[in-house]
């Protein structure tokens, strides 16, 4: 299994853009075996899928967040990233990156998560 | 449909059997996977493709599926099984990943 590590600012101001990077080790993000996904979890609440990107460039995004989410990959750095625009306090959450197996779509590997707080 | 429904909580005594269900229209055509999450930890896959158990997961964890409902069964529950459990699947088009709201298992 691959290992994943999220990185990015822990504090973002309202109306600004949240940007996170996930660094993958133990495997290449150019593999066609995985989707690369983002999932978040507000404190004390359940898991919410944000979106995923495939090596072909295909992306799928949660319809409720679609207009604010951009997903991208940097194959030279073995990283993928999330941008969430126009954030509000409701976007405060623990953000996970994950590797999802192409085919049966099980989330096989998770990062440890990074807490992002939206506050002025 | 774009929702997966789980009961909020299940409570059992040690040694008993816990059953956690997940319902959704797409489950009749899409695989369902189950995750265990303990406080402060990332989720761990305990069942995939409805009934398969990853290596390292105890045999007391099993999964089943019937129509639009899937069930995670934990036989001979132990105190260490106390956690939140989430089902995960996709919508009928395969374009969106869905999570159930989670079930808190109290032992």
């Amino acid at each position: 299994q691959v290992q994943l590590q999220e990185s990015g600012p822990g504090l973002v101001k309202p109306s600004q853009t949240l940007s996170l990077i996930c660094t993958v080790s133990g495997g290449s993000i150019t593999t066609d075996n995985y989707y690369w996904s983002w999932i978040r979890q507000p404190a004390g609440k359940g898991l919410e899928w944000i979106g995923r990107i495939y090596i072909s460039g295909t992306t799928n995004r949660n319809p409720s967040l679609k207009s604010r989410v951009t997903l991208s990959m940097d194959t030279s750095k073995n990283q993928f990233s999330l941008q969430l625009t126009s954030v509000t306090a409701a976007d405060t959450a623990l953000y996970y990156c994950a590797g999802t197996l192409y085919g049966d779509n099980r989330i096989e590997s998770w990062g440890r998560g990074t807490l992002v707080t939206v506050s002025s | 449909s774009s929702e997966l429904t789980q009961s909020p909580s299940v409570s059992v005594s040690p040694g008993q059997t816990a059953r956690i269900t997940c319902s959704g229209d797409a489950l009749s055509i899409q695989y369902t996977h189950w995750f265990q999450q303990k406080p402060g930890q990332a989720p761990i896959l305990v069942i995939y493709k409805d009934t398969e158990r990853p290596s390292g997961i105890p045999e007391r964890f099993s999964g089943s599926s019937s129509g639009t409902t899937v069930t995670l069964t934990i036989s001979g529950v132990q105190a260490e099984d106390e956690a939140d459990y989430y089902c995960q699947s996709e919508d009928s088009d395969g374009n969106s990943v869905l999570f159930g709201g989670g079930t808190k298992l109290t032992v």
Side-chain angles (χ1 to χ4, degrees):
Chain A
Q1 291 187 3
V2 296
Q3 292 79 49
L4 304 101
Q5 178 67 58
E6 306 87 352
S7 59
L11 181 64
V12 182
K13 289 182 166 53
S15 80
Q16 293 192 342
T17 296
L18 179 161
S19 296
L20 295 175
I21 292 172
C22 182
T23 301
V24 178
S25 58
S28 172
I29 66 166
T30 63
T31 179
D32 58 4
N33 291 331
Y34 282 94
Y35 287 106
W36 303 105
S37 304
W38 290 96
I39 296 146
R40 70 181 183 180
Q41 186 172 34
K45 297 189 178 181
L47 300 167
E48 180 180 30
W49 177 71
I50 299 171
R52 64 189 181 190
I53 186 167
Y54 192 57
I55 184 57
S56 65
T58 299
T59 60
N60 299 114
R61 292 165 288 173
N62 187 321
S64 69
L65 300 170
K66 188 172 185 176
S67 63
R68 299 197 290 131
V69 168
T70 301
L71 305 172
S72 60
M73 300 173 72
D74 186 337
T75 57
S76 67
K77 296 181 180 178
N78 222 36
Q79 296 174 335
F80 62 101
S81 64
L82 165 69
Q83 288 193 319
L84 181 66
T85 61
S86 304
V87 297
T88 69
D91 295 309
T92 294
L94 188 62
Y95 284 75
Y96 292 101
C97 61
T100 304
L101 278 182
Y102 186 83
D104 64 30
N105 296 296
R106 88 182 88 139
I107 302 171
E108 188 179 67
S109 301
W110 296 72
R112 299 177 70 175
T114 188
L115 179 62
V116 179
T117 301
V118 178
S119 175
S120 55
Chain B
S1 173
S2 59
E3 290 186 354
L4 298 180
T5 301
Q6 296 181 241
S7 52
S9 62
V10 170
S11 182
V12 298
S13 299
Q16 291 187 327
T17 297
R19 293 181 179 85
I20 299 171
T21 60
C22 176
S23 300
D25 290 344
L27 299 188
S28 60
I29 59 172
Q30 300 287 11
Y31 285 127
T32 302
H33 318 296
W34 289 96
F35 296 90
Q36 176 194 70
Q37 187 180 35
K38 296 182 179 179
Q41 298 182 17
I44 297 171
L45 183 69
V46 294
I47 293 290
Y48 66 97
K49 290 170 66 175
D50 297 345
T51 61
E52 302 296 318
R53 191 174 57 249
S55 60
I57 300 300
E59 291 185 6
R60 63 181 181 273
F61 288 86
S62 64
S64 61
S65 176
S66 178
T68 59
T69 298
V70 294
T71 303
L72 171 68
T73 300
I74 311 172
S75 304
V77 168
Q78 300 183 6
E80 67 196 48
D81 300 329
E82 184 164 287
D84 294 324
Y85 290 84
Y86 295 92
C87 58
Q88 178 237 320
S89 188
E90 289 190 302
D91 67 2
S92 55
D93 295 330
N95 291 327
S96 286
V97 171
L98 305 175
F99 282 105
T103 298
K104 181 174 182 60
L105 174 64
T106 300
V107 180

